[in-house]
Amino acid sequence: MATPPLPSTPRGACDCHVHIYEHGYPLAPTATFKPPHAPVSAYRQVQQALGLERVVLVQPLGYGFDNRCLLDALAQLGSDAARGIAIVPPEVSDDELARLHHAGVRGVRYMMLAGAGGPLTWDTLEAMAARIAPLGWTINLQLDGRELPQRKALIDRLPGKVVIDHTGKFMEPVPPSDAAFKALLAVLDQGERWVKLSAPYETSRVGPPHYDDVAVLAKALVEAHPDRCLWASNWPHPNRVQVPADADLLGLLGEWVGDEGVRERVLVGNAVGVYGFPDR
């Protein structure tokens, strides 16, 4: 039985992790799979169906440092409705950062999962964070959450905002009592640190419809840090054989967050604070 969608989606709700793929843009040599054709027009249908008004577009790894598809999508969606997370080389110029900021970019993606093809390395992270913090940008960090006890000191040192993907992305789900999950909670204690409640299907071992082994972590995060949680669909769910229904994923948030006011905070207010959307 599918998870029902939320009965209503608050005005200004934001999907904080979406990838846009257009066949006209060449893949980088480091691309690990051929992505689907997933243009802005297709995502707009998802927005309309779910009542979502805002979106954060995350640069796909397949395009590497070539952010042209991302920038084109941001221009189509408009500055009130979209923000972007780019991938830039460590030697990126100040002029290029300013150009990206003007186009709606508000962060840099660090994909640190082994074998994923992320072009940036751990040893560049502190310097990059220092470069982008004055712009109000975020470090968008994806790692295996089981590494958090070893990475926490580094994450704590980073200036500016840090957003951690996919409920901590524990590649083997852990219980809330695990040291690695406690490290995630401690990271969120520091301020200017957030986590996306998203993509449970990528790590769950028990599977749909409720992804109970990930759901218990999402609920614990919301209980401990309602002001530090964001929601995301991870559309179009790249490199997945079985693609989950987006309405079901949004519906899970209703299970994880029982209080309507907290759901609105997760979907609207927290995203405004992180990405600089106009307050409504």
mmCIF file with all atom_site columns, all heavy atoms in Angstrom, residues 245-270:
data_model
loop_
_atom_site.group_PDB
_atom_site.id
_atom_site.type_symbol
_atom_site.label_atom_id
_atom_site.label_alt_id
_atom_site.label_comp_id
_atom_site.label_asym_id
_atom_site.label_entity_id
_atom_site.label_seq_id
_atom_site.pdbx_PDB_ins_code
_atom_site.Cartn_x
_atom_site.Cartn_y
_atom_site.Cartn_z
_atom_site.occupancy
_atom_site.B_iso_or_equiv
_atom_site.pdbx_formal_charge
_atom_site.auth_seq_id
_atom_site.auth_comp_id
_atom_site.auth_asym_id
_atom_site.auth_atom_id
_atom_site.pdbx_PDB_model_num
ATOM 1   N N   . ALA A 1 245 ? 7.561  6.840  -6.061 1.00 0.00 ? 245 ALA A N   1
ATOM 2   C CA  . ALA A 1 245 ? 6.610  7.897  -6.391 1.00 0.00 ? 245 ALA A CA  1
ATOM 3   C C   . ALA A 1 245 ? 6.902  9.117  -5.526 1.00 0.00 ? 245 ALA A C   1
ATOM 4   O O   . ALA A 1 245 ? 7.054  9.011  -4.304 1.00 0.00 ? 245 ALA A O   1
ATOM 5   C CB  . ALA A 1 245 ? 5.178  7.415  -6.156 1.00 0.00 ? 245 ALA A CB  1
ATOM 6   N N   . ASP A 1 246 ? 6.974  10.284 -6.159 1.00 0.00 ? 246 ASP A N   1
ATOM 7   C CA  . ASP A 1 246 ? 7.303  11.500 -5.416 1.00 0.00 ? 246 ASP A CA  1
ATOM 8   C C   . ASP A 1 246 ? 6.244  11.833 -4.376 1.00 0.00 ? 246 ASP A C   1
ATOM 9   O O   . ASP A 1 246 ? 6.571  12.327 -3.292 1.00 0.00 ? 246 ASP A O   1
ATOM 10  C CB  . ASP A 1 246 ? 7.481  12.659 -6.398 1.00 0.00 ? 246 ASP A CB  1
ATOM 11  C CG  . ASP A 1 246 ? 8.637  12.412 -7.351 1.00 0.00 ? 246 ASP A CG  1
ATOM 12  O OD1 . ASP A 1 246 ? 9.787  12.359 -6.883 1.00 0.00 ? 246 ASP A OD1 1
ATOM 13  O OD2 . ASP A 1 246 ? 8.387  12.243 -8.555 1.00 0.00 ? 246 ASP A OD2 1
ATOM 14  N N   . ALA A 1 247 ? 4.976  11.565 -4.675 1.00 0.00 ? 247 ALA A N   1
ATOM 15  C CA  . ALA A 1 247 ? 3.920  11.818 -3.692 1.00 0.00 ? 247 ALA A CA  1
ATOM 16  C C   . ALA A 1 247 ? 4.103  10.949 -2.460 1.00 0.00 ? 247 ALA A C   1
ATOM 17  O O   . ALA A 1 247 ? 3.850  11.382 -1.325 1.00 0.00 ? 247 ALA A O   1
ATOM 18  C CB  . ALA A 1 247 ? 2.544  11.571 -4.319 1.00 0.00 ? 247 ALA A CB  1
ATOM 19  N N   . ASP A 1 248 ? 4.561  9.706  -2.655 1.00 0.00 ? 248 ASP A N   1
ATOM 20  C CA  . ASP A 1 248 ? 4.814  8.836  -1.516 1.00 0.00 ? 248 ASP A CA  1
ATOM 21  C C   . ASP A 1 248 ? 5.941  9.375  -0.647 1.00 0.00 ? 248 ASP A C   1
ATOM 22  O O   . ASP A 1 248 ? 5.893  9.308  0.591  1.00 0.00 ? 248 ASP A O   1
ATOM 23  C CB  . ASP A 1 248 ? 5.165  7.429  -1.986 1.00 0.00 ? 248 ASP A CB  1
ATOM 24  C CG  . ASP A 1 248 ? 3.989  6.699  -2.617 1.00 0.00 ? 248 ASP A CG  1
ATOM 25  O OD1 . ASP A 1 248 ? 2.852  7.219  -2.526 1.00 0.00 ? 248 ASP A OD1 1
ATOM 26  O OD2 . ASP A 1 248 ? 4.200  5.626  -3.197 1.00 0.00 ? 248 ASP A OD2 1
ATOM 27  N N   . LEU A 1 249 ? 6.987  9.909  -1.283 1.00 0.00 ? 249 LEU A N   1
ATOM 28  C CA  . LEU A 1 249 ? 8.121  10.448 -0.525 1.00 0.00 ? 249 LEU A CA  1
ATOM 29  C C   . LEU A 1 249 ? 7.708  11.669 0.286  1.00 0.00 ? 249 LEU A C   1
ATOM 30  O O   . LEU A 1 249 ? 8.115  11.837 1.434  1.00 0.00 ? 249 LEU A O   1
ATOM 31  C CB  . LEU A 1 249 ? 9.268  10.794 -1.477 1.00 0.00 ? 249 LEU A CB  1
ATOM 32  C CG  . LEU A 1 249 ? 9.894  9.597  -2.202 1.00 0.00 ? 249 LEU A CG  1
ATOM 33  C CD1 . LEU A 1 249 ? 10.933 10.084 -3.198 1.00 0.00 ? 249 LEU A CD1 1
ATOM 34  C CD2 . LEU A 1 249 ? 10.524 8.623  -1.210 1.00 0.00 ? 249 LEU A CD2 1
ATOM 35  N N   . LEU A 1 250 ? 6.891  12.532 -0.303 1.00 0.00 ? 250 LEU A N   1
ATOM 36  C CA  . LEU A 1 250 ? 6.386  13.672 0.458  1.00 0.00 ? 250 LEU A CA  1
ATOM 37  C C   . LEU A 1 250 ? 5.452  13.205 1.565  1.00 0.00 ? 250 LEU A C   1
ATOM 38  O O   . LEU A 1 250 ? 5.449  13.761 2.676  1.00 0.00 ? 250 LEU A O   1
ATOM 39  C CB  . LEU A 1 250 ? 5.680  14.659 -0.467 1.00 0.00 ? 250 LEU A CB  1
ATOM 40  C CG  . LEU A 1 250 ? 5.175  15.957 0.172  1.00 0.00 ? 250 LEU A CG  1
ATOM 41  C CD1 . LEU A 1 250 ? 6.305  16.734 0.847  1.00 0.00 ? 250 LEU A CD1 1
ATOM 42  C CD2 . LEU A 1 250 ? 4.470  16.833 -0.864 1.00 0.00 ? 250 LEU A CD2 1
ATOM 43  N N   . GLY A 1 251 ? 4.685  12.169 1.273  1.00 0.00 ? 251 GLY A N   1
ATOM 44  C CA  . GLY A 1 251 ? 3.793  11.622 2.295  1.00 0.00 ? 251 GLY A CA  1
ATOM 45  C C   . GLY A 1 251 ? 4.533  11.083 3.504  1.00 0.00 ? 251 GLY A C   1
ATOM 46  O O   . GLY A 1 251 ? 4.024  11.140 4.632  1.00 0.00 ? 251 GLY A O   1
ATOM 47  N N   . LEU A 1 252 ? 5.729  10.564 3.279  1.00 0.00 ? 252 LEU A N   1
ATOM 48  C CA  . LEU A 1 252 ? 6.514  10.068 4.411  1.00 0.00 ? 252 LEU A CA  1
ATOM 49  C C   . LEU A 1 252 ? 6.800  11.170 5.422  1.00 0.00 ? 252 LEU A C   1
ATOM 50  O O   . LEU A 1 252 ? 6.907  10.907 6.619  1.00 0.00 ? 252 LEU A O   1
ATOM 51  C CB  . LEU A 1 252 ? 7.836  9.471  3.918  1.00 0.00 ? 252 LEU A CB  1
ATOM 52  C CG  . LEU A 1 252 ? 7.755  8.115  3.211  1.00 0.00 ? 252 LEU A CG  1
ATOM 53  C CD1 . LEU A 1 252 ? 9.116  7.764  2.618  1.00 0.00 ? 252 LEU A CD1 1
ATOM 54  C CD2 . LEU A 1 252 ? 7.297  7.030  4.175  1.00 0.00 ? 252 LEU A CD2 1
ATOM 55  N N   . LEU A 1 253 ? 6.945  12.402 4.929  1.00 0.00 ? 253 LEU A N   1
ATOM 56  C CA  . LEU A 1 253 ? 7.199  13.499 5.858  1.00 0.00 ? 253 LEU A CA  1
ATOM 57  C C   . LEU A 1 253 ? 6.056  13.642 6.855  1.00 0.00 ? 253 LEU A C   1
ATOM 58  O O   . LEU A 1 253 ? 6.274  14.017 8.018  1.00 0.00 ? 253 LEU A O   1
ATOM 59  C CB  . LEU A 1 253 ? 7.412  14.804 5.092  1.00 0.00 ? 253 LEU A CB  1
ATOM 60  C CG  . LEU A 1 253 ? 7.847  16.003 5.936  1.00 0.00 ? 253 LEU A CG  1
ATOM 61  C CD1 . LEU A 1 253 ? 9.212  15.775 6.567  1.00 0.00 ? 253 LEU A CD1 1
ATOM 62  C CD2 . LEU A 1 253 ? 7.867  17.279 5.088  1.00 0.00 ? 253 LEU A CD2 1
ATOM 63  N N   . GLY A 1 254 ? 4.833  13.332 6.413  1.00 0.00 ? 254 GLY A N   1
ATOM 64  C CA  . GLY A 1 254 ? 3.700  13.367 7.332  1.00 0.00 ? 254 GLY A CA  1
ATOM 65  C C   . GLY A 1 254 ? 3.814  12.330 8.429  1.00 0.00 ? 254 GLY A C   1
ATOM 66  O O   . GLY A 1 254 ? 3.313  12.528 9.542  1.00 0.00 ? 254 GLY A O   1
ATOM 67  N N   . GLU A 1 255 ? 4.476  11.206 8.124  1.00 0.00 ? 255 GLU A N   1
ATOM 68  C CA  . GLU A 1 255 ? 4.704  10.184 9.138  1.00 0.00 ? 255 GLU A CA  1
ATOM 69  C C   . GLU A 1 255 ? 5.849  10.582 10.068 1.00 0.00 ? 255 GLU A C   1
ATOM 70  O O   . GLU A 1 255 ? 5.820  10.278 11.265 1.00 0.00 ? 255 GLU A O   1
ATOM 71  C CB  . GLU A 1 255 ? 5.025  8.851  8.471  1.00 0.00 ? 255 GLU A CB  1
ATOM 72  C CG  . GLU A 1 255 ? 3.917  8.302  7.598  1.00 0.00 ? 255 GLU A CG  1
ATOM 73  C CD  . GLU A 1 255 ? 4.254  6.941  7.027  1.00 0.00 ? 255 GLU A CD  1
ATOM 74  O OE1 . GLU A 1 255 ? 5.381  6.458  7.255  1.00 0.00 ? 255 GLU A OE1 1
ATOM 75  O OE2 . GLU A 1 255 ? 3.385  6.351  6.364  1.00 0.00 ? 255 GLU A OE2 1
ATOM 76  N N   . TRP A 1 256 ? 6.860  11.216 9.516  1.00 0.00 ? 256 TRP A N   1
ATOM 77  C CA  . TRP A 1 256 ? 8.036  11.565 10.312 1.00 0.00 ? 256 TRP A CA  1
ATOM 78  C C   . TRP A 1 256 ? 7.800  12.787 11.187 1.00 0.00 ? 256 TRP A C   1
ATOM 79  O O   . TRP A 1 256 ? 8.421  12.921 12.243 1.00 0.00 ? 256 TRP A O   1
ATOM 80  C CB  . TRP A 1 256 ? 9.211  11.843 9.389  1.00 0.00 ? 256 TRP A CB  1
ATOM 81  C CG  . TRP A 1 256 ? 9.627  10.682 8.538  1.00 0.00 ? 256 TRP A CG  1
ATOM 82  C CD1 . TRP A 1 256 ? 9.282  9.359  8.714  1.00 0.00 ? 256 TRP A CD1 1
ATOM 83  C CD2 . TRP A 1 256 ? 10.453 10.718 7.377  1.00 0.00 ? 256 TRP A CD2 1
ATOM 84  N NE1 . TRP A 1 256 ? 9.841  8.584  7.733  1.00 0.00 ? 256 TRP A NE1 1
ATOM 85  C CE2 . TRP A 1 256 ? 10.574 9.383  6.899  1.00 0.00 ? 256 TRP A CE2 1
ATOM 86  C CE3 . TRP A 1 256 ? 11.108 11.742 6.689  1.00 0.00 ? 256 TRP A CE3 1
ATOM 87  C CZ2 . TRP A 1 256 ? 11.322 9.068  5.759  1.00 0.00 ? 256 TRP A CZ2 1
ATOM 88  C CZ3 . TRP A 1 256 ? 11.852 11.428 5.564  1.00 0.00 ? 256 TRP A CZ3 1
ATOM 89  C CH2 . TRP A 1 256 ? 11.959 10.103 5.108  1.00 0.00 ? 256 TRP A CH2 1
ATOM 90  N N   . VAL A 1 257 ? 6.927  13.688 10.734 1.00 0.00 ? 257 VAL A N   1
ATOM 91  C CA  . VAL A 1 257 ? 6.688  14.952 11.445 1.00 0.00 ? 257 VAL A CA  1
ATOM 92  C C   . VAL A 1 257 ? 5.195  15.062 11.701 1.00 0.00 ? 257 VAL A C   1
ATOM 93  O O   . VAL A 1 257 ? 4.418  15.417 10.806 1.00 0.00 ? 257 VAL A O   1
ATOM 94  C CB  . VAL A 1 257 ? 7.176  16.165 10.617 1.00 0.00 ? 257 VAL A CB  1
ATOM 95  C CG1 . VAL A 1 257 ? 7.080  17.435 11.449 1.00 0.00 ? 257 VAL A CG1 1
ATOM 96  C CG2 . VAL A 1 257 ? 8.588  15.950 10.098 1.00 0.00 ? 257 VAL A CG2 1
ATOM 97  N N   . GLY A 1 258 ? 4.772  14.763 12.918 1.00 0.00 ? 258 GLY A N   1
ATOM 98  C CA  . GLY A 1 258 ? 3.353  14.747 13.220 1.00 0.00 ? 258 GLY A CA  1
ATOM 99  C C   . GLY A 1 258 ? 2.734  16.114 13.397 1.00 0.00 ? 258 GLY A C   1
ATOM 100 O O   . GLY A 1 258 ? 1.538  16.295 13.177 1.00 0.00 ? 258 GLY A O   1
ATOM 101 N N   . ASP A 1 259 ? 3.521  17.107 13.788 1.00 0.00 ? 259 ASP A N   1
ATOM 102 C CA  . ASP A 1 259 ? 3.006  18.439 14.070 1.00 0.00 ? 259 ASP A CA  1
ATOM 103 C C   . ASP A 1 259 ? 2.976  19.281 12.800 1.00 0.00 ? 259 ASP A C   1
ATOM 104 O O   . ASP A 1 259 ? 3.995  19.424 12.115 1.00 0.00 ? 259 ASP A O   1
ATOM 105 C CB  . ASP A 1 259 ? 3.874  19.111 15.128 1.00 0.00 ? 259 ASP A CB  1
ATOM 106 C CG  . ASP A 1 259 ? 3.365  20.480 15.510 1.00 0.00 ? 259 ASP A CG  1
ATOM 107 O OD1 . ASP A 1 259 ? 2.529  20.565 16.417 1.00 0.00 ? 259 ASP A OD1 1
ATOM 108 O OD2 . ASP A 1 259 ? 3.804  21.470 14.880 1.00 0.00 ? 259 ASP A OD2 1
ATOM 109 N N   . GLU A 1 260 ? 1.831  19.856 12.482 1.00 0.00 ? 260 GLU A N   1
ATOM 110 C CA  . GLU A 1 260 ? 1.681  20.629 11.252 1.00 0.00 ? 260 GLU A CA  1
ATOM 111 C C   . GLU A 1 260 ? 2.605  21.837 11.226 1.00 0.00 ? 260 GLU A C   1
ATOM 112 O O   . GLU A 1 260 ? 3.187  22.181 10.192 1.00 0.00 ? 260 GLU A O   1
ATOM 113 C CB  . GLU A 1 260 ? 0.225  21.075 11.079 1.00 0.00 ? 260 GLU A CB  1
ATOM 114 C CG  . GLU A 1 260 ? -0.042 21.815 9.786  1.00 0.00 ? 260 GLU A CG  1
ATOM 115 C CD  . GLU A 1 260 ? -1.505 22.177 9.615  1.00 0.00 ? 260 GLU A CD  1
ATOM 116 O OE1 . GLU A 1 260 ? -2.332 21.761 10.459 1.00 0.00 ? 260 GLU A OE1 1
ATOM 117 O OE2 . GLU A 1 260 ? -1.832 22.886 8.629  1.00 0.00 ? 260 GLU A OE2 1
ATOM 118 N N   . GLY A 1 261 ? 2.768  22.502 12.361 1.00 0.00 ? 261 GLY A N   1
ATOM 119 C CA  . GLY A 1 261 ? 3.648  23.659 12.419 1.00 0.00 ? 261 GLY A CA  1
ATOM 120 C C   . GLY A 1 261 ? 5.099  23.294 12.163 1.00 0.00 ? 261 GLY A C   1
ATOM 121 O O   . GLY A 1 261 ? 5.832  24.037 11.493 1.00 0.00 ? 261 GLY A O   1
ATOM 122 N N   . VAL A 1 262 ? 5.520  22.134 12.676 1.00 0.00 ? 262 VAL A N   1
ATOM 123 C CA  . VAL A 1 262 ? 6.889  21.695 12.434 1.00 0.00 ? 262 VAL A CA  1
ATOM 124 C C   . VAL A 1 262 ? 7.069  21.299 10.973 1.00 0.00 ? 262 VAL A C   1
ATOM 125 O O   . VAL A 1 262 ? 8.108  21.582 10.360 1.00 0.00 ? 262 VAL A O   1
ATOM 126 C CB  . VAL A 1 262 ? 7.264  20.533 13.367 1.00 0.00 ? 262 VAL A CB  1
ATOM 127 C CG1 . VAL A 1 262 ? 8.659  19.998 13.040 1.00 0.00 ? 262 VAL A CG1 1
ATOM 128 C CG2 . VAL A 1 262 ? 7.201  20.985 14.822 1.00 0.00 ? 262 VAL A CG2 1
ATOM 129 N N   . ARG A 1 263 ? 6.056  20.656 10.376 1.00 0.00 ? 263 ARG A N   1
ATOM 130 C CA  . ARG A 1 263 ? 6.142  20.327 8.951  1.00 0.00 ? 263 ARG A CA  1
ATOM 131 C C   . ARG A 1 263 ? 6.315  21.584 8.114  1.00 0.00 ? 263 ARG A C   1
ATOM 132 O O   . ARG A 1 263 ? 7.117  21.619 7.167  1.00 0.00 ? 263 ARG A O   1
ATOM 133 C CB  . ARG A 1 263 ? 4.881  19.582 8.485  1.00 0.00 ? 263 ARG A CB  1
ATOM 134 C CG  . ARG A 1 263 ? 4.853  18.131 8.831  1.00 0.00 ? 263 ARG A CG  1
ATOM 135 C CD  . ARG A 1 263 ? 3.903  17.348 7.928  1.00 0.00 ? 263 ARG A CD  1
ATOM 136 N NE  . ARG A 1 263 ? 2.556  17.847 7.925  1.00 0.00 ? 263 ARG A NE  1
ATOM 137 C CZ  . ARG A 1 263 ? 1.598  17.456 8.767  1.00 0.00 ? 263 ARG A CZ  1
ATOM 138 N NH1 . ARG A 1 263 ? 1.875  16.571 9.708  1.00 0.00 ? 263 ARG A NH1 1
ATOM 139 N NH2 . ARG A 1 263 ? 0.385  17.949 8.684  1.00 0.00 ? 263 ARG A NH2 1
ATOM 140 N N   . GLU A 1 264 ? 5.583  22.636 8.458  1.00 0.00 ? 264 GLU A N   1
ATOM 141 C CA  . GLU A 1 264 ? 5.731  23.888 7.710  1.00 0.00 ? 264 GLU A CA  1
ATOM 142 C C   . GLU A 1 264 ? 7.133  24.458 7.889  1.00 0.00 ? 264 GLU A C   1
ATOM 143 O O   . GLU A 1 264 ? 7.719  25.006 6.955  1.00 0.00 ? 264 GLU A O   1
ATOM 144 C CB  . GLU A 1 264 ? 4.677  24.900 8.150  1.00 0.00 ? 264 GLU A CB  1
ATOM 145 C CG  . GLU A 1 264 ? 4.749  26.201 7.370  1.00 0.00 ? 264 GLU A CG  1
ATOM 146 C CD  . GLU A 1 264 ? 3.536  27.080 7.561  1.00 0.00 ? 264 GLU A CD  1
ATOM 147 O OE1 . GLU A 1 264 ? 2.579  26.661 8.248  1.00 0.00 ? 264 GLU A OE1 1
ATOM 148 O OE2 . GLU A 1 264 ? 3.531  28.193 7.024  1.00 0.00 ? 264 GLU A OE2 1
ATOM 149 N N   . ARG A 1 265 ? 7.684  24.339 9.089  1.00 0.00 ? 265 ARG A N   1
ATOM 150 C CA  . ARG A 1 265 ? 9.046  24.815 9.324  1.00 0.00 ? 265 ARG A CA  1
ATOM 151 C C   . ARG A 1 265 ? 10.039 24.057 8.445  1.00 0.00 ? 265 ARG A C   1
ATOM 152 O O   . ARG A 1 265 ? 10.933 24.636 7.836  1.00 0.00 ? 265 ARG A O   1
ATOM 153 C CB  . ARG A 1 265 ? 9.396  24.629 10.803 1.00 0.00 ? 265 ARG A CB  1
ATOM 154 C CG  . ARG A 1 265 ? 10.630 25.389 11.257 1.00 0.00 ? 265 ARG A CG  1
ATOM 155 C CD  . ARG A 1 265 ? 10.895 25.132 12.738 1.00 0.00 ? 265 ARG A CD  1
ATOM 156 N NE  . ARG A 1 265 ? 9.710  25.263 13.567 1.00 0.00 ? 265 ARG A NE  1
ATOM 157 C CZ  . ARG A 1 265 ? 9.607  24.834 14.820 1.00 0.00 ? 265 ARG A CZ  1
ATOM 158 N NH1 . ARG A 1 265 ? 10.644 24.232 15.393 1.00 0.00 ? 265 ARG A NH1 1
ATOM 159 N NH2 . ARG A 1 265 ? 8.500  24.997 15.502 1.00 0.00 ? 265 ARG A NH2 1
ATOM 160 N N   . VAL A 1 266 ? 9.867  22.719 8.369  1.00 0.00 ? 266 VAL A N   1
ATOM 161 C CA  . VAL A 1 266 ? 10.771 21.898 7.569  1.00 0.00 ? 266 VAL A CA  1
ATOM 162 C C   . VAL A 1 266 ? 10.638 22.234 6.088  1.00 0.00 ? 266 VAL A C   1
ATOM 163 O O   . VAL A 1 266 ? 11.637 22.329 5.361  1.00 0.00 ? 266 VAL A O   1
ATOM 164 C CB  . VAL A 1 266 ? 10.498 20.403 7.825  1.00 0.00 ? 266 VAL A CB  1
ATOM 165 C CG1 . VAL A 1 266 ? 11.266 19.522 6.837  1.00 0.00 ? 266 VAL A CG1 1
ATOM 166 C CG2 . VAL A 1 266 ? 10.861 20.032 9.263  1.00 0.00 ? 266 VAL A CG2 1
ATOM 167 N N   . LEU A 1 267 ? 9.416  22.403 5.615  1.00 0.00 ? 267 LEU A N   1
ATOM 168 C CA  . LEU A 1 267 ? 9.182  22.616 4.193  1.00 0.00 ? 267 LEU A CA  1
ATOM 169 C C   . LEU A 1 267 ? 9.402  24.052 3.745  1.00 0.00 ? 267 LEU A C   1
ATOM 170 O O   . LEU A 1 267 ? 9.718  24.289 2.575  1.00 0.00 ? 267 LEU A O   1
ATOM 171 C CB  . LEU A 1 267 ? 7.748  22.202 3.830  1.00 0.00 ? 267 LEU A CB  1
ATOM 172 C CG  . LEU A 1 267 ? 7.469  20.699 3.786  1.00 0.00 ? 267 LEU A CG  1
ATOM 173 C CD1 . LEU A 1 267 ? 5.972  20.437 3.734  1.00 0.00 ? 267 LEU A CD1 1
ATOM 174 C CD2 . LEU A 1 267 ? 8.153  20.056 2.591  1.00 0.00 ? 267 LEU A CD2 1
ATOM 175 N N   . VAL A 1 268 ? 9.244  25.003 4.658  1.00 0.00 ? 268 VAL A N   1
ATOM 176 C CA  . VAL A 1 268 ? 9.276  26.414 4.247  1.00 0.00 ? 268 VAL A CA  1
ATOM 177 C C   . VAL A 1 268 ? 10.355 27.199 4.989  1.00 0.00 ? 268 VAL A C   1
ATOM 178 O O   . VAL A 1 268 ? 11.346 27.630 4.409  1.00 0.00 ? 268 VAL A O   1
ATOM 179 C CB  . VAL A 1 268 ? 7.895  27.090 4.460  1.00 0.00 ? 268 VAL A CB  1
ATOM 180 C CG1 . VAL A 1 268 ? 7.918  28.518 3.924  1.00 0.00 ? 268 VAL A CG1 1
ATOM 181 C CG2 . VAL A 1 268 ? 6.789  26.291 3.798  1.00 0.00 ? 268 VAL A CG2 1
ATOM 182 N N   . GLY A 1 269 ? 10.165 27.386 6.282  1.00 0.00 ? 269 GLY A N   1
ATOM 183 C CA  . GLY A 1 269 ? 10.996 28.326 7.024  1.00 0.00 ? 269 GLY A CA  1
ATOM 184 C C   . GLY A 1 269 ? 12.467 27.974 7.057  1.00 0.00 ? 269 GLY A C   1
ATOM 185 O O   . GLY A 1 269 ? 13.323 28.854 6.912  1.00 0.00 ? 269 GLY A O   1
ATOM 186 N N   . ASN A 1 270 ? 12.781 26.703 7.251  1.00 0.00 ? 270 ASN A N   1
ATOM 187 C CA  . ASN A 1 270 ? 14.191 26.323 7.317  1.00 0.00 ? 270 ASN A CA  1
ATOM 188 C C   . ASN A 1 270 ? 14.887 26.559 5.979  1.00 0.00 ? 270 ASN A C   1
ATOM 189 O O   . ASN A 1 270 ? 16.044 26.994 5.945  1.00 0.00 ? 270 ASN A O   1
ATOM 190 C CB  . ASN A 1 270 ? 14.331 24.860 7.741  1.00 0.00 ? 270 ASN A CB  1
ATOM 191 C CG  . ASN A 1 270 ? 13.860 24.620 9.164  1.00 0.00 ? 270 ASN A CG  1
ATOM 192 O OD1 . ASN A 1 270 ? 13.642 25.560 9.925  1.00 0.00 ? 270 ASN A OD1 1
ATOM 193 N ND2 . ASN A 1 270 ? 13.689 23.361 9.530  1.00 0.00 ? 270 ASN A ND2 1
#
